[in-house]
Every structure is written in structure tokens, then in C-alpha cells.
Amino acid sequence: MGTKVHNRIAVLRTERGLSRKELAEAVGVNFQTIGYLERGNYNASLELALTLSEFFGLPVEMIFSLKPFKPLSEELSAKR
């Protein structure tokens, strides 16, 4: 399957002040994997997606999507 999976990993990582290496160590992958995910060169396995979801304390669908994400600020204002 060549479906493009969009993610918010870079945004979530930088919000928390983490380097790619720090995030990679926290979730048990090579730091290059985080870079590949952030650039969309690689789709996370289900295990890694669930691990990232647990790490960030967010539902998987808040981190990964088959459609491009709207900016978080736009999503939050739409819910008000």
C-alpha cells in the first residue's frame, strides 16, 4: 500500500522541547526513524503508532491521518 499517511510528530515533539534523538529513545526506535516519519518517507507500524500515541497521551487519530491535518488552532476554534 502506497497510501500517504500524514502525522503531527514534528509539531508534538517540538511542543515538548524534544530532539529527534530524545523522542526516538523514549519510544525505542532509531532517531533516523523519527526523521523519516516526520518527513513522510516512512509510515509507522501499528506498534509504533500506538507507542507514540501512549507517549504523547493522545489518540492515534490526533497524531496520524490519511488526509492532511488542519492546523491545530483551526481545529480547536471549530470545536468551540
Side-chain angles (χ1 to χ4, degrees):
M1 249 203 224
T3 305
K4 169 99 170 135
V5 176
H6 303 272
N7 71 73
R8 289 185 166 131
I9 297 170
V11 171
L12 295 167
R13 178 179 59 75
T14 54
E15 272 182 355
R16 287 159 176 78
L18 297 168
S19 69
R20 286 180 177 161
K21 186 174 186 209
E22 289 167 329
L23 177 57
E25 287 172 0
V27 298
V29 297
N30 185 292
F31 78 95
Q32 290 176 314
T33 301
I34 301 299
Y36 293 143
L37 289 168
E38 289 180 352
R39 289 188 300 275
N41 299 125
Y42 172 77
N43 289 340
S45 66
L46 178 57
E47 180 182 2
L48 181 53
L50 292 170
T51 301
L52 287 163
S53 172
E54 190 174 285
F55 177 81
F56 288 121
L58 294 169
V60 172
E61 59 272 15
M62 290 294 297
I63 303 171
F64 297 96
S65 176
L66 295 177
K67 297 176 186 166
F69 283 106
K70 293 178 183 172
L72 281 172
S73 58
E74 193 177 311
E75 284 189 23
L76 290 173
S77 63
K79 290 182 181 181
R80 290 187 186 150

